[in-house]
Amino acid sequence: MGEPLKPLNIGIVGAGKISGAYLSTLERLTSVRMTAVTDLDRSRAQSIAVQAGEEVAVVPSVAALVARDDVDTVLNLTIPAAHADVALEALGAGKHVYGEKPLATNRKEAEAVLAAAREAGLRVGCAPDTVLGTGTQTARKAVDDGLIGRPVAATAFMTSAGHEKWHPDPEFYYRPGGGPLLDMGPYYLSALVHLLGPVVRVTGASSRPRAQRTIGSGPRAGHTFPVEVDTHITGVLEHAGGALSTLVMSFDIRAARLPRIEVHGTAASLSVPDPNGFDGPVEIHHGDGWETLPVSAGYPDAGRGVGLADLAEALSAGRPHRASAELAAHVLDIMLTLMDAADQGRALPVTTTCERPAPVARADR
């Protein structure tokens, strides 16, 4: 039996740009309640507390936050390099964790988080939860229902010129733990695992066309900083079921007309909406034109943080939560193995796996 259904008391660590997207969702969820926030910049934490519009404590440190009795789940919105450390501190204090992606920046840290959660009997969830919306889930139902026949291949493209044009502090996107693959890959790879199952082997290539980038907006506009990671990555992924996915992740493409994700089967092709969003049209082509499928699955009107609601419901029902650390660890391993394969110039096995998360039926509202 699961725990009694009650709101999860959420303590937020990190009050940066992404926190606003979470707050707009959390205020709509009855299954979670924000109780505390901390940030290295206290003024940012205070701003989040005011925006929350309820009694939210501003605390000076992660240690102070995880020690509070009114925090049972930590929402970890720190930079990628701090994800594992914050998660381990929260688990050590007996708190569940839900974090931004990636789960960690390397395999050792990811396994440490999984091991700590297992030992403590606690839950760890990880973004993206966009795959729980009506877009990816309607596409998944079409695949599961056999509408495209046997899946043969998929393509996934994320192309941009980089984040420095709009982000006032973009350096972390270009340091170890960043780059287009670790930044945006989790959205696309999580969707591909939902659609086609885990990945068993990868091969790829990567490049770093520019050694420096220049901030284009905000008070630091014009500041130049070094690029420390590859910014254009392409790969081929072999799924356990035999389907092959072609992946391109780039911060070096000015413009493109590429689709986000397409899945091709023996009977039809499927166009899947942007996995960085929760909804969007799902289209199918049987050979005589594209047809939009009706919404048939997924959490409707979802936003960032719906994974927390799914975690709360999973605790109550005693079922696995869908935006799981196991899925996130597998996605991280796919990305790291792809970068290793690019460096070594050969195909490499992906040594981790995960259960394909349960689909989200329309009844799950």
Side-chain angles (χ1 to χ4, degrees):
M1 294 181 64
E3 299 176 12
L5 181 58
K6 61 180 180 179
L8 290 180
N9 292 324
I10 307 298
I12 296 181
V13 179
K17 195 173 184 69
I18 193 64
S19 62
Y22 276 86
L23 285 180
S24 65
T25 302
L26 296 184
E27 65 187 12
R28 297 189 282 114
L29 300 175
T30 60
S31 54
V32 299
R33 182 172 71 95
M34 182 176 164
T35 57
V37 60
T38 189
D39 189 272
L40 294 174
D41 183 339
R42 184 175 177 84
S43 65
R44 294 200 308 188
Q46 289 172 330
S47 176
I48 290 297
V50 170
Q51 185 180 343
E54 53 183 295
E55 299 240 349
V56 175
V58 177
V59 297
S61 66
V62 177
L65 184 138
V66 300
R68 293 179 65 92
D69 292 335
D70 63 351
V71 171
D72 49 41
T73 304
V74 171
L75 176 56
N76 183 5
L77 303 181
T78 56
I79 62 173
H83 286 177
D85 287 342
V86 171
L88 290 170
E89 189 166 356
L91 292 167
K95 313 298 183 181
H96 303 297
V97 180
Y98 184 91
E100 254 303 312
K101 48 76 190 169
L103 178 65
T105 59
N106 59 64
R107 298 177 183 88
K108 183 177 179 181
E109 288 181 346
E111 179 51 40
V113 171
L114 292 174
R118 286 193 297 265
E119 182 177 351
L122 295 167
R123 300 287 189 109
V124 177
C126 187
D129 52 7
T130 49
V131 292
L132 305 182
T134 56
T136 298
Q137 290 296 316
T138 293
R140 172 177 175 163
K141 189 173 189 305
V143 173
D144 290 350
D145 288 351
L147 299 188
I148 67 168
R150 178 174 59 83
V152 174
T155 56
F157 300 107
M158 193 296 299
T159 59
S160 79
H163 294 341
E164 68 274 13
K165 292 184 66 175
W166 59 269
H167 199 293
D169 299 295
E171 285 94 334
F172 72 92
Y173 288 110
Y174 298 92
R175 293 172 180 158
L181 185 60
L182 286 177
D183 175 40
M184 296 300 294
Y187 298 104
Y188 289 77
L189 291 168
S190 295
L192 289 173
V193 172
H194 270 267
L195 292 165
L196 299 173
V199 172
V200 296
R201 187 170 62 162
V202 300
T203 188
S206 63
S207 65
R208 192 181 312 179
R210 284 180 280 168
Q212 294 183 326
R213 300 269 177 150
T214 302
I215 298 176
S217 64
R220 301 172 63 224
H223 174 75
T224 298
F225 60 91
V227 176
E228 302 175 36
V229 295
D230 287 353
T231 51
H232 185 96
I233 297 99
T234 185
V236 176
L237 322 175
E238 181 182 340
H239 294 267
L244 301 178
S245 291
T246 301
L247 182 76
V248 174
M249 301 276 117
S250 184
F251 285 166
D252 292 293
I253 295 179
R254 294 292 174 183
R257 294 177 175 175
L258 296 165
R260 299 295 187 177
I261 294 179
E262 290 181 346
V263 182
H264 307 283
T266 54
S269 291
L270 198 67
S271 175
V272 184
D274 186 353
N276 194 19
F278 289 86
D279 51 19
V282 177
E283 297 179 301
I284 194 166
H285 197 299
H286 288 96
D288 53 357
W290 290 100
E291 172 190 354
T292 300
L293 292 175
V295 172
S296 59
Y299 288 114
D301 303 317
R304 295 183 194 274
V306 71
L308 269 171
D310 185 80
L311 175 59
E313 293 167 8
L315 283 167
S316 174
R319 63 163 173 84
H321 54 289
R322 294 179 173 97
S324 70
E326 290 75 17
L327 171 60
H330 180 56
V331 165
L332 176 65
D333 193 25
I334 296 169
M335 296 188 294
L336 296 178
T337 305
L338 177 54
M339 290 191 288
D340 289 342
D343 289 340
Q344 298 175 30
R346 62 192 181 99
L348 291 175
V350 178
T351 57
T352 62
T353 190
C354 68
E355 293 291 330
R356 194 173 173 222
V360 181
R362 284 298 299 276
D364 289 336
R365 298 189 178 205

